[in-house]
Amino acid sequence: MNDSASSGTEQKTIIPQAQPKLPAPLGAAPGTPGDRSAFGFELKARIPGKHGRTGIIHTPHGTIATPAFVPVATQATMKAVLPEQMDSLGAQCLLANAFHLFERPGEDIIDAAGGLNEFMHWNKPTFTDSGGFQVLSLGAGFKKTLAMDVEGKKSDDVIASGKNRLAFVDDKGVTFKSPLNGASKRFSAEISMQIQHKIGADIMFAFDELTTLMNTRHYQERSVERTFRWAQRCLTEHQRLTAQRLGKPYQALYGVVQGANYEDLRRLAASQVASLDFDGFGIGGAIEKRIIGQICSWICDELPENKPRHVLGIAAVDDIFACVENGGDTFDCVAPARTARNGAVYTHDGRWNVKRSSMRTDFRPIEENCDCYTCRNYSRAYICHLLHAREMTGATLTTIHNERFFVRLLDEIRDSIDGGYFADFKEETLARFYKDGSKG
């Protein structure tokens, strides 16, 4: 006789509950291509004399009120934070990386799961980055950032100190060594589209080449033309796959504008992609921080107003204001989550580190007037302890706060545009955030 029987208790078999299915996306019907009308952009208010505006992006998985911050869920997850927590902190959408999901688990597995939303159980809009950032990351070894401060020589074979070149660009695509296992692999416009269609995000980006500010003018010219040819090929493959993959919701495709710091190249690249049948546009490439707003303005001069614009890789507070004012609608960046894991937190009074020794006995929240779950429930002292003890909960709590900071900042910016007080809000917010020399 076993112990449970002798004690008069019964052993119960616990049957795992099936994960509930998400609501069906708009514009998907069995046996037919995705309905393109499920995607669109609705313009609302403008910043007087500027390209900045508010609007609504309509997607098969819901709407995005713009301007908006798009948290980065690189591997189909926010590091240390559940999708339900991202929903509760106000995130309207998430961005996953096609390159990393191609590496693992593979786009076929995500497709078999029903697409990115079903795979990660996220019932809101999604984006996928095309993999173009990895051309820079693997090829030149620099950090993946759009706004850069660069001094030094110009070179067409630039490589970061201590790095080996792992990616090689040619006119047809990119050959690279996998950062996971060193295997030689290939990306092209067509392959990027095939991967992104199987991942199934609402918004995808055309495959582009990301240059650095150290590349010569001649190389930048060649890269702009190469990116345009890739854009044409992406669009052709996208249209083929849309017609072929029946029963799937329509996936919007954005063309990407390159051209570094050169006004004529930025305007040329913008007019080129604007001439094609894209659903929206990405503002990409390395940009010197001091002129980031000006570059956005050059680009938006050449783009149609009835389509959305996404600024890739931006999260510095002053950069966000500059780009919103000059036409950016949505923004993504890994910085809020990445810095959070190291203890750096964003507040309206600047960015600082909660791991500082002075935090050990500070029982206030990270930010007094923050409405995030972390600030409503936990103290700086507790979070400081968790991070020093290398407890994963510490990273969860700081990430929730940082992501909420940027989601709320864009919400506040959107309200200021709708309310007609953007200029005053910008001045007050930046003066407060940077008064102590914050690096954020």
Side-chain angles (χ1 to χ4, degrees), residues 108-154:
D108 289 333
I109 289 176
I110 298 174
D111 193 26
L116 182 62
N117 287 78
E118 286 286 348
F119 188 57
M120 64 187 295
H121 200 62
W122 174 255
N123 187 31
K124 287 186 175 183
T126 53
F127 294 66
T128 44
D129 185 338
S130 72
F133 270 108
Q134 279 62 43
V135 175
L136 172 66
S137 181
L138 297 173
F142 289 99
K143 292 181 180 179
K144 294 172 283 184
T145 180
L146 191 154
M148 303 173 70
D149 294 303
V150 177
E151 295 181 3
K153 65 180 182 178
K154 296 287 186 180

mmCIF file of all heavy atoms in Angstrom, residues 108-154:
data_model
loop_
_atom_site.group_PDB
_atom_site.id
_atom_site.type_symbol
_atom_site.label_atom_id
_atom_site.label_comp_id
_atom_site.label_asym_id
_atom_site.label_seq_id
_atom_site.Cartn_x
_atom_site.Cartn_y
_atom_site.Cartn_z
ATOM 1 N N ASP A 108 10.480 28.214 -39.828
ATOM 2 C CA ASP A 108 9.500 27.150 -40.083
ATOM 3 C C ASP A 108 8.741 26.766 -38.817
ATOM 4 O O ASP A 108 7.547 26.462 -38.862
ATOM 5 C CB ASP A 108 10.190 25.922 -40.673
ATOM 6 C CG ASP A 108 10.653 26.147 -42.103
ATOM 7 O OD1 ASP A 108 10.037 26.970 -42.797
ATOM 8 O OD2 ASP A 108 11.647 25.519 -42.520
ATOM 9 N N ILE A 109 9.434 26.773 -37.685
ATOM 10 C CA ILE A 109 8.782 26.439 -36.420
ATOM 11 C C ILE A 109 7.765 27.512 -36.047
ATOM 12 O O ILE A 109 6.640 27.207 -35.613
ATOM 13 C CB ILE A 109 9.836 26.260 -35.307
ATOM 14 C CG1 ILE A 109 10.636 24.964 -35.552
ATOM 15 C CG2 ILE A 109 9.187 26.240 -33.923
ATOM 16 C CD1 ILE A 109 11.757 24.728 -34.568
ATOM 17 N N ILE A 110 8.125 28.765 -36.239
ATOM 18 C CA ILE A 110 7.190 29.855 -35.923
ATOM 19 C C ILE A 110 5.982 29.798 -36.841
ATOM 20 O O ILE A 110 4.837 29.997 -36.411
ATOM 21 C CB ILE A 110 7.911 31.212 -36.015
ATOM 22 C CG1 ILE A 110 9.054 31.260 -34.988
ATOM 23 C CG2 ILE A 110 6.934 32.361 -35.788
ATOM 24 C CD1 ILE A 110 9.919 32.489 -35.084
ATOM 25 N N ASP A 111 6.223 29.515 -38.110
ATOM 26 C CA ASP A 111 5.127 29.386 -39.070
ATOM 27 C C ASP A 111 4.190 28.249 -38.660
ATOM 28 O O ASP A 111 2.959 28.384 -38.703
ATOM 29 C CB ASP A 111 5.701 29.149 -40.463
ATOM 30 C CG ASP A 111 4.671 29.317 -41.568
ATOM 31 O OD1 ASP A 111 3.694 30.068 -41.368
ATOM 32 O OD2 ASP A 111 4.852 28.710 -42.639
ATOM 33 N N ALA A 112 4.767 27.107 -38.250
ATOM 34 C CA ALA A 112 3.951 25.962 -37.838
ATOM 35 C C ALA A 112 3.140 26.277 -36.579
ATOM 36 O O ALA A 112 2.053 25.709 -36.376
ATOM 37 C CB ALA A 112 4.849 24.749 -37.591
ATOM 38 N N ALA A 113 3.649 27.182 -35.751
ATOM 39 C CA ALA A 113 2.934 27.563 -34.529
ATOM 40 C C ALA A 113 1.765 28.490 -34.815
ATOM 41 O O ALA A 113 0.943 28.760 -33.921
ATOM 42 C CB ALA A 113 3.897 28.236 -33.552
ATOM 43 N N GLY A 114 1.686 28.999 -36.053
ATOM 44 C CA GLY A 114 0.610 29.923 -36.407
ATOM 45 C C GLY A 114 1.069 31.354 -36.559
ATOM 46 O O GLY A 114 0.247 32.265 -36.673
ATOM 47 N N GLY A 115 2.400 31.542 -36.540
ATOM 48 C CA GLY A 115 2.945 32.888 -36.695
ATOM 49 C C GLY A 115 3.421 33.465 -35.379
ATOM 50 O O GLY A 115 3.220 32.900 -34.300
ATOM 51 N N LEU A 116 4.065 34.609 -35.462
ATOM 52 C CA LEU A 116 4.720 35.220 -34.302
ATOM 53 C C LEU A 116 3.751 35.486 -33.158
ATOM 54 O O LEU A 116 4.065 35.217 -31.994
ATOM 55 C CB LEU A 116 5.399 36.523 -34.741
ATOM 56 C CG LEU A 116 6.184 37.290 -33.672
ATOM 57 C CD1 LEU A 116 7.333 36.455 -33.135
ATOM 58 C CD2 LEU A 116 6.709 38.606 -34.247
ATOM 59 N N ASN A 117 2.571 36.022 -33.463
ATOM 60 C CA ASN A 117 1.630 36.336 -32.385
ATOM 61 C C ASN A 117 1.227 35.101 -31.598
ATOM 62 O O ASN A 117 1.221 35.107 -30.354
ATOM 63 C CB ASN A 117 0.389 37.021 -32.963
ATOM 64 C CG ASN A 117 0.661 38.440 -33.393
ATOM 65 O OD1 ASN A 117 1.238 38.666 -34.464
ATOM 66 N ND2 ASN A 117 0.282 39.409 -32.580
ATOM 67 N N GLU A 118 0.889 34.019 -32.301
ATOM 68 C CA GLU A 118 0.521 32.780 -31.613
ATOM 69 C C GLU A 118 1.719 32.193 -30.874
ATOM 70 O O GLU A 118 1.589 31.703 -29.746
ATOM 71 C CB GLU A 118 -0.017 31.755 -32.619
ATOM 72 C CG GLU A 118 -1.414 32.054 -33.137
ATOM 73 C CD GLU A 118 -2.491 31.773 -32.095
ATOM 74 O OE1 GLU A 118 -2.195 31.135 -31.069
ATOM 75 O OE2 GLU A 118 -3.641 32.195 -32.321
ATOM 76 N N PHE A 119 2.889 32.239 -31.505
ATOM 77 C CA PHE A 119 4.085 31.629 -30.927
ATOM 78 C C PHE A 119 4.416 32.264 -29.579
ATOM 79 O O PHE A 119 4.733 31.570 -28.612
ATOM 80 C CB PHE A 119 5.251 31.786 -31.907
ATOM 81 C CG PHE A 119 6.493 31.028 -31.525
ATOM 82 C CD1 PHE A 119 6.470 29.659 -31.332
ATOM 83 C CD2 PHE A 119 7.708 31.688 -31.389
ATOM 84 C CE1 PHE A 119 7.618 28.957 -30.987
ATOM 85 C CE2 PHE A 119 8.859 31.000 -31.051
ATOM 86 C CZ PHE A 119 8.818 29.634 -30.856
ATOM 87 N N MET A 120 4.339 33.608 -29.504
ATOM 88 C CA MET A 120 4.710 34.293 -28.269
ATOM 89 C C MET A 120 3.500 34.725 -27.443
ATOM 90 O O MET A 120 3.652 35.358 -26.404
ATOM 91 C CB MET A 120 5.592 35.505 -28.571
ATOM 92 C CG MET A 120 4.937 36.597 -29.371
ATOM 93 S SD MET A 120 6.105 37.902 -29.865
ATOM 94 C CE MET A 120 6.566 38.579 -28.273
ATOM 95 N N HIS A 121 2.299 34.379 -27.922
ATOM 96 C CA HIS A 121 1.045 34.685 -27.224
ATOM 97 C C HIS A 121 0.928 36.182 -26.963
ATOM 98 O O HIS A 121 0.745 36.643 -25.838
ATOM 99 C CB HIS A 121 0.927 33.899 -25.916
ATOM 100 C CG HIS A 121 -0.493 33.797 -25.420
ATOM 101 N ND1 HIS A 121 -1.484 33.169 -26.141
ATOM 102 C CD2 HIS A 121 -1.082 34.260 -24.296
ATOM 103 C CE1 HIS A 121 -2.614 33.244 -25.469
ATOM 104 N NE2 HIS A 121 -2.408 33.906 -24.350
ATOM 105 N N TRP A 122 0.983 36.949 -28.046
ATOM 106 C CA TRP A 122 0.878 38.414 -27.993
ATOM 107 C C TRP A 122 -0.224 38.835 -28.950
ATOM 108 O O TRP A 122 -0.116 38.664 -30.155
ATOM 109 C CB TRP A 122 2.221 39.033 -28.393
ATOM 110 C CG TRP A 122 2.216 40.526 -28.529
ATOM 111 C CD1 TRP A 122 2.224 41.245 -29.693
ATOM 112 C CD2 TRP A 122 2.203 41.493 -27.474
ATOM 113 N NE1 TRP A 122 2.229 42.586 -29.430
ATOM 114 C CE2 TRP A 122 2.214 42.775 -28.070
ATOM 115 C CE3 TRP A 122 2.193 41.399 -26.078
ATOM 116 C CZ2 TRP A 122 2.223 43.952 -27.318
ATOM 117 C CZ3 TRP A 122 2.198 42.571 -25.333
ATOM 118 C CH2 TRP A 122 2.219 43.813 -25.953
ATOM 119 N N ASN A 123 -1.292 39.418 -28.403
ATOM 120 C CA ASN A 123 -2.466 39.730 -29.209
ATOM 121 C C ASN A 123 -2.502 41.201 -29.618
ATOM 122 O O ASN A 123 -3.531 41.857 -29.553
ATOM 123 C CB ASN A 123 -3.741 39.373 -28.434
ATOM 124 C CG ASN A 123 -4.979 39.520 -29.296
ATOM 125 O OD1 ASN A 123 -4.921 39.322 -30.511
ATOM 126 N ND2 ASN A 123 -6.093 39.871 -28.689
ATOM 127 N N LYS A 124 -1.363 41.729 -30.025
ATOM 128 C CA LYS A 124 -1.274 43.110 -30.488
ATOM 129 C C LYS A 124 -0.337 43.143 -31.699
ATOM 130 O O LYS A 124 0.288 42.132 -32.042
ATOM 131 C CB LYS A 124 -0.765 44.020 -29.371
ATOM 132 C CG LYS A 124 -1.782 44.289 -28.265
ATOM 133 C CD LYS A 124 -1.252 45.321 -27.277
ATOM 134 C CE LYS A 124 -2.292 45.698 -26.242
ATOM 135 N NZ LYS A 124 -1.797 46.764 -25.320
ATOM 136 N N PRO A 125 -0.207 44.288 -32.354
ATOM 137 C CA PRO A 125 0.645 44.355 -33.544
ATOM 138 C C PRO A 125 2.102 43.996 -33.278
ATOM 139 O O PRO A 125 2.613 44.187 -32.166
ATOM 140 C CB PRO A 125 0.520 45.828 -33.970
ATOM 141 C CG PRO A 125 -0.817 46.255 -33.454
ATOM 142 C CD PRO A 125 -0.981 45.532 -32.153
ATOM 143 N N THR A 126 2.747 43.470 -34.327
ATOM 144 C CA THR A 126 4.159 43.095 -34.247
ATOM 145 C C THR A 126 4.915 43.611 -35.467
ATOM 146 O O THR A 126 4.346 43.818 -36.540
ATOM 147 C CB THR A 126 4.319 41.567 -34.183
ATOM 148 O OG1 THR A 126 3.596 40.977 -35.278
ATOM 149 C CG2 THR A 126 3.814 41.007 -32.867
ATOM 150 N N PHE A 127 6.212 43.826 -35.268
ATOM 151 C CA PHE A 127 7.149 44.190 -36.327
ATOM 152 C C PHE A 127 8.244 43.132 -36.377
ATOM 153 O O PHE A 127 8.528 42.481 -35.371
ATOM 154 C CB PHE A 127 7.852 45.521 -36.016
ATOM 155 C CG PHE A 127 6.996 46.749 -35.983
ATOM 156 C CD1 PHE A 127 6.009 46.924 -35.012
ATOM 157 C CD2 PHE A 127 7.218 47.780 -36.887
ATOM 158 C CE1 PHE A 127 5.257 48.094 -34.958
ATOM 159 C CE2 PHE A 127 6.473 48.955 -36.843
ATOM 160 C CZ PHE A 127 5.493 49.108 -35.880
ATOM 161 N N THR A 128 8.894 42.995 -37.535
ATOM 162 C CA THR A 128 10.172 42.278 -37.598
ATOM 163 C C THR A 128 11.193 43.126 -38.340
ATOM 164 O O THR A 128 10.908 43.699 -39.393
ATOM 165 C CB THR A 128 10.074 40.910 -38.309
ATOM 166 O OG1 THR A 128 9.289 41.021 -39.502
ATOM 167 C CG2 THR A 128 9.504 39.856 -37.393
ATOM 168 N N ASP A 129 12.388 43.224 -37.761
ATOM 169 C CA ASP A 129 13.542 43.838 -38.403
ATOM 170 C C ASP A 129 14.036 42.868 -39.476
ATOM 171 O O ASP A 129 14.008 41.656 -39.289
ATOM 172 C CB ASP A 129 14.618 44.071 -37.333
ATOM 173 C CG ASP A 129 15.829 44.822 -37.852
ATOM 174 O OD1 ASP A 129 16.059 44.812 -39.070
ATOM 175 O OD2 ASP A 129 16.548 45.392 -37.032
ATOM 176 N N SER A 130 14.501 43.390 -40.594
ATOM 177 C CA SER A 130 14.841 42.542 -41.742
ATOM 178 C C SER A 130 16.111 41.743 -41.590
ATOM 179 O O SER A 130 16.345 40.793 -42.320
ATOM 180 C CB SER A 130 14.989 43.416 -42.988
ATOM 181 O OG SER A 130 16.175 44.186 -42.908
ATOM 182 N N GLY A 131 16.994 42.137 -40.663
ATOM 183 C CA GLY A 131 18.324 41.546 -40.586
ATOM 184 C C GLY A 131 19.406 42.477 -41.081
ATOM 185 O O GLY A 131 20.587 42.182 -40.975
ATOM 186 N N GLY A 132 19.019 43.640 -41.618
ATOM 187 C CA GLY A 132 20.006 44.576 -42.125
ATOM 188 C C GLY A 132 20.961 45.095 -41.071
ATOM 189 O O GLY A 132 22.141 45.350 -41.348
ATOM 190 N N PHE A 133 20.482 45.250 -39.844
ATOM 191 C CA PHE A 133 21.365 45.690 -38.767
ATOM 192 C C PHE A 133 22.515 44.710 -38.557
ATOM 193 O O PHE A 133 23.622 45.098 -38.195
ATOM 194 C CB PHE A 133 20.580 45.843 -37.460
ATOM 195 C CG PHE A 133 20.006 47.213 -37.254
ATOM 196 C CD1 PHE A 133 18.648 47.425 -37.373
ATOM 197 C CD2 PHE A 133 20.816 48.298 -36.943
ATOM 198 C CE1 PHE A 133 18.105 48.686 -37.190
ATOM 199 C CE2 PHE A 133 20.284 49.560 -36.754
ATOM 200 C CZ PHE A 133 18.922 49.760 -36.873
ATOM 201 N N GLN A 134 22.251 43.419 -38.774
ATOM 202 C CA GLN A 134 23.296 42.430 -38.550
ATOM 203 C C GLN A 134 24.427 42.553 -39.574
ATOM 204 O O GLN A 134 25.535 42.092 -39.326
ATOM 205 C CB GLN A 134 22.699 41.023 -38.571
ATOM 206 C CG GLN A 134 22.048 40.624 -37.251
ATOM 207 C CD GLN A 134 20.886 41.508 -36.884
ATOM 208 O OE1 GLN A 134 20.053 41.850 -37.727
ATOM 209 N NE2 GLN A 134 20.814 41.905 -35.628
ATOM 210 N N VAL A 135 24.150 43.168 -40.718
ATOM 211 C CA VAL A 135 25.218 43.405 -41.688
ATOM 212 C C VAL A 135 26.293 44.276 -41.049
ATOM 213 O O VAL A 135 27.483 44.031 -41.185
ATOM 214 C CB VAL A 135 24.665 44.080 -42.962
ATOM 215 C CG1 VAL A 135 25.787 44.453 -43.922
ATOM 216 C CG2 VAL A 135 23.670 43.160 -43.645
ATOM 217 N N LEU A 136 25.855 45.305 -40.324
ATOM 218 C CA LEU A 136 26.809 46.164 -39.627
ATOM 219 C C LEU A 136 27.411 45.428 -38.436
ATOM 220 O O LEU A 136 28.619 45.424 -38.236
ATOM 221 C CB LEU A 136 26.132 47.439 -39.134
ATOM 222 C CG LEU A 136 27.003 48.327 -38.233
ATOM 223 C CD1 LEU A 136 28.171 48.906 -39.011
ATOM 224 C CD2 LEU A 136 26.191 49.435 -37.608
ATOM 225 N N SER A 137 26.567 44.798 -37.643
ATOM 226 C CA SER A 137 27.037 44.181 -36.413
ATOM 227 C C SER A 137 28.078 43.101 -36.669
ATOM 228 O O SER A 137 29.115 43.044 -36.012
ATOM 229 C CB SER A 137 25.846 43.583 -35.658
ATOM 230 O OG SER A 137 26.260 42.989 -34.461
ATOM 231 N N LEU A 138 27.800 42.220 -37.624
ATOM 232 C CA LEU A 138 28.742 41.156 -37.946
ATOM 233 C C LEU A 138 29.856 41.635 -38.863
ATOM 234 O O LEU A 138 30.988 41.181 -38.776
ATOM 235 C CB LEU A 138 28.012 39.984 -38.611
ATOM 236 C CG LEU A 138 26.966 39.268 -37.766
ATOM 237 C CD1 LEU A 138 26.230 38.251 -38.617
ATOM 238 C CD2 LEU A 138 27.612 38.589 -36.579
ATOM 239 N N GLY A 139 29.521 42.565 -39.761
ATOM 240 C CA GLY A 139 30.499 42.983 -40.760
ATOM 241 C C GLY A 139 31.539 43.926 -40.237
ATOM 242 O O GLY A 139 32.720 43.808 -40.560
ATOM 243 N N ALA A 140 31.125 44.914 -39.403
ATOM 244 C CA ALA A 140 32.067 45.914 -38.938
ATOM 245 C C ALA A 140 32.329 45.834 -37.444
ATOM 246 O O ALA A 140 33.279 46.436 -36.953
ATOM 247 C CB ALA A 140 31.550 47.312 -39.297
ATOM 248 N N GLY A 141 31.489 45.109 -36.717
ATOM 249 C CA GLY A 141 31.745 44.900 -35.301
ATOM 250 C C GLY A 141 31.352 46.044 -34.404
ATOM 251 O O GLY A 141 31.733 46.072 -33.236
ATOM 252 N N PHE A 142 30.590 47.024 -34.915
ATOM 253 C CA PHE A 142 30.169 48.139 -34.090
ATOM 254 C C PHE A 142 28.835 47.821 -33.429
ATOM 255 O O PHE A 142 28.076 46.979 -33.881
ATOM 256 C CB PHE A 142 30.024 49.413 -34.925
ATOM 257 C CG PHE A 142 31.343 49.977 -35.376
ATOM 258 C CD1 PHE A 142 31.812 49.732 -36.660
ATOM 259 C CD2 PHE A 142 32.115 50.728 -34.520
ATOM 260 C CE1 PHE A 142 33.020 50.245 -37.081
ATOM 261 C CE2 PHE A 142 33.330 51.244 -34.925
ATOM 262 C CZ PHE A 142 33.788 51.008 -36.211
ATOM 263 N N LYS A 143 28.546 48.557 -32.335
ATOM 264 C CA LYS A 143 27.251 48.400 -31.685
ATOM 265 C C LYS A 143 26.141 48.782 -32.650
ATOM 266 O O LYS A 143 26.313 49.638 -33.497
ATOM 267 C CB LYS A 143 27.183 49.269 -30.426
ATOM 268 C CG LYS A 143 28.126 48.805 -29.323
ATOM 269 C CD LYS A 143 27.994 49.697 -28.102
ATOM 270 C CE LYS A 143 28.932 49.228 -26.992
ATOM 271 N NZ LYS A 143 28.831 50.100 -25.801
ATOM 272 N N LYS A 144 24.993 48.138 -32.477
ATOM 273 C CA LYS A 144 23.855 48.380 -33.371
ATOM 274 C C LYS A 144 23.110 49.620 -32.900
ATOM 275 O O LYS A 144 22.197 49.547 -32.098
ATOM 276 C CB LYS A 144 22.942 47.161 -33.394
ATOM 277 C CG LYS A 144 23.585 45.939 -34.013
ATOM 278 C CD LYS A 144 22.733 44.727 -33.848
ATOM 279 C CE LYS A 144 22.816 44.171 -32.449
ATOM 280 N NZ LYS A 144 22.060 42.931 -32.296
ATOM 281 N N THR A 145 23.525 50.784 -33.400
ATOM 282 C CA THR A 145 22.898 52.038 -33.017
ATOM 283 C C THR A 145 22.757 52.933 -34.217
ATOM 284 O O THR A 145 23.590 52.903 -35.125
ATOM 285 C CB THR A 145 23.714 52.736 -31.908
ATOM 286 O OG1 THR A 145 23.067 53.954 -31.561
ATOM 287 C CG2 THR A 145 25.132 53.047 -32.351
ATOM 288 N N LEU A 146 21.705 53.718 -34.262
ATOM 289 C CA LEU A 146 21.485 54.597 -35.396
ATOM 290 C C LEU A 146 22.158 55.942 -35.173
ATOM 291 O O LEU A 146 22.865 56.437 -36.028
ATOM 292 C CB LEU A 146 19.980 54.765 -35.624
ATOM 293 C CG LEU A 146 19.506 55.444 -36.904
ATOM 294 C CD1 LEU A 146 18.106 54.967 -37.232
ATOM 295 C CD2 LEU A 146 19.495 56.940 -36.776
ATOM 296 N N ALA A 147 21.955 56.577 -34.016
ATOM 297 C CA ALA A 147 22.553 57.875 -33.739
ATOM 298 C C ALA A 147 23.972 57.688 -33.219
ATOM 299 O O ALA A 147 24.188 57.074 -32.188
ATOM 300 C CB ALA A 147 21.717 58.634 -32.711
ATOM 301 N N MET A 148 24.950 58.211 -33.933
ATOM 302 C CA MET A 148 26.350 57.966 -33.610
ATOM 303 C C MET A 148 27.130 59.273 -33.505
ATOM 304 O O MET A 148 26.818 60.250 -34.165
ATOM 305 C CB MET A 148 27.017 57.095 -34.688
ATOM 306 C CG MET A 148 26.340 55.757 -34.913
ATOM 307 S SD MET A 148 27.037 54.863 -36.316
ATOM 308 C CE MET A 148 28.650 54.423 -35.679
ATOM 309 N N ASP A 149 28.152 59.273 -32.647
ATOM 310 C CA ASP A 149 29.138 60.337 -32.613
ATOM 311 C C ASP A 149 30.460 59.693 -33.022
ATOM 312 O O ASP A 149 31.002 58.863 -32.291
ATOM 313 C CB ASP A 149 29.258 60.931 -31.214
ATOM 314 C CG ASP A 149 27.988 61.648 -30.801
ATOM 315 O OD1 ASP A 149 27.586 62.565 -31.536
ATOM 316 O OD2 ASP A 149 27.425 61.304 -29.754
ATOM 317 N N VAL A 150 30.964 60.026 -34.195
ATOM 318 C CA VAL A 150 32.129 59.340 -34.750
ATOM 319 C C VAL A 150 33.194 60.344 -35.151
ATOM 320 O O VAL A 150 32.922 61.311 -35.845
ATOM 321 C CB VAL A 150 31.740 58.491 -35.976
ATOM 322 C CG1 VAL A 150 32.972 57.839 -36.587
ATOM 323 C CG2 VAL A 150 30.753 57.417 -35.576
ATOM 324 N N GLU A 151 34.418 60.089 -34.716
ATOM 325 C CA GLU A 151 35.567 60.844 -35.181
ATOM 326 C C GLU A 151 36.585 59.840 -35.704
ATOM 327 O O GLU A 151 36.764 58.770 -35.157
ATOM 328 C CB GLU A 151 36.186 61.665 -34.050
ATOM 329 C CG GLU A 151 35.273 62.754 -33.515
ATOM 330 C CD GLU A 151 35.922 63.558 -32.407
ATOM 331 O OE1 GLU A 151 37.102 63.282 -32.107
ATOM 332 O OE2 GLU A 151 35.260 64.444 -31.843
ATOM 333 N N GLY A 152 37.288 60.218 -36.766
ATOM 334 C CA GLY A 152 38.309 59.320 -37.286
ATOM 335 C C GLY A 152 38.301 59.250 -38.784
ATOM 336 O O GLY A 152 37.560 59.962 -39.459
ATOM 337 N N LYS A 153 39.105 58.356 -39.314
ATOM 338 C CA LYS A 153 39.304 58.268 -40.749
ATOM 339 C C LYS A 153 38.093 57.682 -41.459
ATOM 340 O O LYS A 153 37.279 56.988 -40.881
ATOM 341 C CB LYS A 153 40.515 57.392 -41.033
ATOM 342 C CG LYS A 153 40.341 55.925 -40.614
ATOM 343 C CD LYS A 153 41.592 55.127 -40.924
ATOM 344 C CE LYS A 153 41.379 53.654 -40.533
ATOM 345 N NZ LYS A 153 42.561 52.830 -40.850
ATOM 346 N N LYS A 154 38.028 57.997 -42.737
ATOM 347 C CA LYS A 154 37.051 57.374 -43.613
ATOM 348 C C LYS A 154 37.675 56.129 -44.219
ATOM 349 O O LYS A 154 38.841 56.124 -44.613
ATOM 350 C CB LYS A 154 36.638 58.332 -44.730
ATOM 351 C CG LYS A 154 35.918 59.577 -44.242
ATOM 352 C CD LYS A 154 34.505 59.257 -43.780
ATOM 353 C CE LYS A 154 33.738 60.511 -43.422
ATOM 354 N NZ LYS A 154 32.376 60.219 -42.969
#
